[in-house]
Amino acid sequence: MLAAASWLFTVTTATAQIKINVSNDSPLRKLQIAEMAINSLYVDSVNEQKLVEDGIRGMLEKLDPHSTYSTPKEVKEMNEPLQGNFEGIGVQFNMVEDTLLVIQTVSGGPSEKMGIMAGDRIVTVNDSAIAGVKMSREEIVRRLRGPKGTKVLLGIMRPGISDRLSFTITRDKIPVHSIDATYMLRPTVGYVRIGSFGATTPDEFRESLKTLLEQGMQTLVLDLQENGGGYLHAAVEVASELLNSGSLIVYTDGRRVNRNEYTARGGGLFTEGKVVVLVDSYTASAAEIVSGAIQDHDRGIIVGRRTFGKGLVQRPIELPDGSMIRLTIAHYYTPSGRCIQKPYEKGKKKDYAMDVVNRLKSGELMSADSVHFVDSLKYYTLREHRVVYGGGGIMPDEFVPLDTTKYTRFHRELAAKSVIINQNLRYVDGHRKQLHQLYPDFASFREQYEVPQSLIDNILAEAKKQKIVLKDDDELQRTLPYLRQQLKALVARDLWSMNEYFAIMNEQSDVVGRALQLLTKK
């Protein structure tokens, strides 16, 4: 018979240790006996580690959609973009067929310092071939990355040089930037796009504001479209730069967690000028905290489409092997008191994940009239007492319908099969020197460059190879305007940076266009 004595164990979270006393009749003791019995007596051999992981996942799946279990590998991959750095050689690359092509080197990184250039092909790592051997992208990344201070020998083929070049790179910490773009959208209108809220986002945002203020910014367009969230403290710090001292930004409250308020600390860099926040149905979590605070304090205008609706707070619980449970412990509430978490049924994560697709099917993304809120979830903004609603994301002050005519079926298939990105890479790789000579700066490129017909022809030829069929000539003509704009933006990105990419794409963005219209009216 298995003994069932009372016992004590400790769970470590990111902020505290929780001591749990397990008595003889505890359900936890029952769970342990079941695991021991299966591992010891089951007819076939079992993987005890997987057995326990499946048990944890099974429990969490019956809870809310955001309580999750992650393996040690998944934890590392999840945290890396948010922590603000990783250790490696410092290159942005893409795969052209089965060869690694350097798109850009990280400014100040180890590869740039050693003379690696855009257009270089890394063909060997520590004398082992990585080109022409059909190695997975994940395996290539694993070989290039490594602890700071370690060395890696790269074999490189460079256009115009017949011999293979060798570079010994000393790995270092490589910054991961969470701000995608910072530039002047118009002479007095600054633009900042935040891709996620990570550990370095507040410092990056302050630097962006300083740069734009020096260039004469009087109005800020803060783009949070497709921003899935991140760290709570990063969202609070970003909002603090836009709100007056003491302004409530967000508060959390839960069954076993007391109400905790987060307020603006004061001294924000941009507390007076106009603010417009751009959102869509993928704007979630920390990005919704910023949007909700700006809206509730009547600090600015929210433009776009209803946000995702994630108002649940997760606490990380670290397990001894490096794995982690992220357990929902509270709700987020905006300053007016509304919870923006959208409805869900426990254990039905698939239905929850399909919500954005269902919004498209219901017509919500095309018409604000398709969004329905109940009166019991009505709240009021704090200064102007405008009506806002809880219970399912942040509804923008100015709704911008999704223009589905821009994205034809043909274009979607080209993008899904990487035809556009791969043909663009080949084009830039073959014309990089010529393009830099013709367009020494972005201003001249923006004004004069036109996508050559040869690049369009190559895309159409590749589409035919991959059996992506055009319905008719009308579909092609509807595809070409957006495709040409996208290609021009991608070329600009590869020659300069993401700032230039968004500077081109935003000129045809309906959401950005509406923001500029509103600013002109004001």
Side-chain angles (χ1 to χ4, degrees):
M1 180 179 290
L2 294 170
S6 178
W7 51 291
L8 181 78
F9 71 94
T10 300
V11 173
T12 301
T13 75
T15 56
Q17 286 190 334
I18 305 171
K19 292 186 177 181
I20 302 174
N21 187 43
V22 181
S23 61
N24 293 339
D25 58 353
S26 167
L28 286 176
R29 183 61 174 156
K30 184 177 178 180
L31 186 64
Q32 184 196 37
I33 292 171
E35 189 279 329
M36 292 170 62
I38 294 170
N39 191 47
S40 302
L41 302 174
Y42 185 64
V43 62
D44 296 321
S45 61
V46 295
N47 182 327
E48 188 174 11
Q49 180 73 21
K50 187 175 185 302
L51 189 67
V52 171
E53 288 180 355
D54 288 345
I56 295 171
R57 286 195 172 97
M59 287 188 287
L60 294 175
E61 283 173 0
K62 299 300 181 183
L63 303 178
D64 66 278
H66 296 291
S67 291
T68 58
Y69 169 80
S70 302
T71 65
K73 180 182 178 183
E74 290 167 342
V75 170
K76 183 178 179 182
E77 292 174 350
M78 178 177 61
N79 287 340
E80 199 169 73
L82 295 176
Q83 289 173 342
N85 63 71
F86 63 90
E87 294 177 346
I89 66 170
V91 295
Q92 296 177 24
F93 71 91
N94 216 320
M95 301 301 296
V96 177
E97 294 175 348
D98 58 356
T99 302
L100 185 155
L101 175 66
V102 176
I103 304 301
Q104 288 179 343
T105 55
V106 174
S107 179
S111 289
E112 183 190 60
K113 290 177 181 177
M114 291 302 297
I116 305 294
M117 300 170 59
D120 284 352
R121 292 156 170 76
I122 301 178
V123 294
T124 63
V125 177
N126 291 330
D127 294 326
S128 295
I130 64 169
V133 293
K134 301 198 180 299
M135 186 176 291
S136 70
R137 186 186 182 97
E138 291 74 18
E139 176 61 19
I140 291 172
V141 169
R142 187 190 69 79
R143 293 183 181 220
L144 292 175
R145 291 188 181 182
K148 176 183 176 180
T150 59
K151 297 182 184 299
V152 59
L153 176 64
L154 304 182
I156 285 179
M157 297 302 297
R158 179 169 293 169
I161 298 178
S162 57
D163 295 333
R164 192 176 76 185
L165 306 175
S166 294
F167 294 84
T168 299
I169 309 292
T170 302
R171 297 183 179 99
D172 202 347
K173 284 196 175 294
I174 309 301
V176 177
H177 297 294
S178 58
I179 289 187
D180 295 331
T182 299
Y183 74 97
M184 292 299 290
L185 186 62
R186 293 293 184 270
T188 61
V189 181
Y191 172 91
V192 177
R193 182 182 175 97
I194 303 179
S196 62
F197 285 89
T200 62
T201 304
D203 287 337
E204 290 181 52
F205 186 59
R206 282 187 278 270
E207 286 304 310
S208 291
L209 290 179
K210 289 175 184 176
T211 297
L212 295 174
L213 286 168
E214 289 172 358
Q215 296 177 29
M217 177 178 69
Q218 298 174 17
T219 298
L220 171 67
V221 173
L222 178 59
D223 193 345
L224 300 182
Q225 294 177 96
E226 300 181 8
N227 184 318
Y231 292 147
L232 168 63
H233 77 84
V236 170
E237 284 291 302
V238 165
S240 285
E241 297 299 334
L242 307 174
L243 295 170
N244 291 325
S245 177
S247 298
L248 179 62
I249 295 170
V250 66
Y251 67 90
T252 61
D253 201 3
R255 180 177 68 92
R256 300 294 297 271
V257 178
N258 294 330
R259 173 168 168 151
N260 192 8
E261 297 186 353
Y262 299 84
T263 59
R265 49 171 168 66
L269 289 171
F270 197 72
T271 59
E272 298 297 329
K274 297 174 185 176
V275 176
V276 179
V277 181
L278 312 183
V279 299
D280 63 11
S281 52
Y282 297 101
T283 303
S285 190
E288 292 176 292
I289 289 173
V290 174
S291 305
I294 296 298
Q295 189 176 54
D296 282 6
H297 284 289
D298 295 295
R299 174 68 184 88
I301 305 169
I302 312 298
V303 177
R305 293 176 286 278
R306 183 166 65 101
T307 62
F308 183 86
K310 180 185 181 294
L312 298 175
V313 185
Q314 283 73 50
R315 173 176 291 174
I317 299 171
E318 299 163 1
L319 302 179
D321 65 347
S323 60
M324 179 185 290
I325 292 172
R326 298 184 77 246
L327 188 67
T328 297
I329 60 166
H331 287 91
Y332 289 123
Y333 295 86
T334 70
S336 66
R338 53 187 169 141
C339 177
I340 54 175
Q341 174 61 42
K342 63 186 176 184
Y344 62 88
E345 289 187 52
K346 291 183 178 180
K348 294 190 175 181
K349 293 189 177 183
K350 184 177 180 180
D351 292 344
Y352 184 82
M354 289 295 291
D355 176 63
V356 174
V357 175
N358 291 335
R359 292 187 195 187
L360 178 62
K361 291 179 179 178
S362 70
E364 174 187 328
L365 301 185
M366 280 70 80
S367 171
D369 293 338
S370 298
V371 185
H372 302 289
F373 293 103
V374 296
D375 285 343
S376 61
L377 297 175
K378 183 185 292 185
Y379 293 83
Y380 298 90
T381 61
L382 302 180
R383 290 178 57 191
E384 299 178 8
H385 306 291
R386 296 180 298 113
V387 174
V388 289
Y389 289 92
I394 302 293
M395 188 66 185
D397 303 305
E398 289 287 334
F399 179 84
V400 180
L402 177 67
D403 183 1
T404 56
T405 62
K406 280 186 179 179
Y407 315 101
T408 64
R409 176 205 55 83
F410 184 63
H411 182 274
R412 288 195 298 271
E413 290 194 33
L414 290 176
K417 294 189 177 181
S418 301
V419 173
I420 299 170
I421 192 72
N422 286 337
Q423 290 301 318
N424 171 74
L425 286 169
R426 289 189 177 94
Y427 168 74
V428 175
D429 185 46
H431 298 82
R432 187 183 300 273
K433 186 176 180 180
Q434 178 188 9
L435 288 167
H436 274 303
Q437 289 174 343
L438 289 171
Y439 312 105
D441 52 45
F442 177 62
S444 60
F445 175 89
R446 185 175 188 171
E447 181 69 25
Q448 302 168 23
Y449 178 80
E450 292 184 6
V451 174
Q453 185 60 40
S454 60
L455 177 52
I456 300 295
D457 291 341
N458 288 340
I459 288 174
L460 296 177
E462 184 62 25
K464 192 172 182 180
K465 282 184 188 177
Q466 298 202 29
K467 295 182 171 55
I468 304 173
V469 181
L470 266 170
K471 182 179 178 182
D472 49 35
D473 187 63
D474 178 64
E475 185 177 34
L476 176 60
Q477 296 309 314
R478 288 187 291 110
T479 300
L480 286 176
Y482 185 78
L483 177 60
R484 288 184 184 278
Q485 178 201 8
Q486 183 183 23
L487 288 167
K488 183 172 181 176
L490 288 169
V491 173
R493 179 203 66 180
D494 292 348
L495 294 179
W496 290 283
S497 72
M498 290 300 290
N499 283 346
E500 287 73 20
Y501 172 86
F502 282 105
I504 290 174
M505 292 301 292
N506 282 339
E507 290 306 307
Q508 300 298 322
S509 164
D510 294 333
V511 178
V512 173
R514 179 66 62 83
L516 290 171
Q517 287 176 4
L518 292 168
L519 292 172
T520 303
K521 288 180 183 178
K522 295 289 183 180

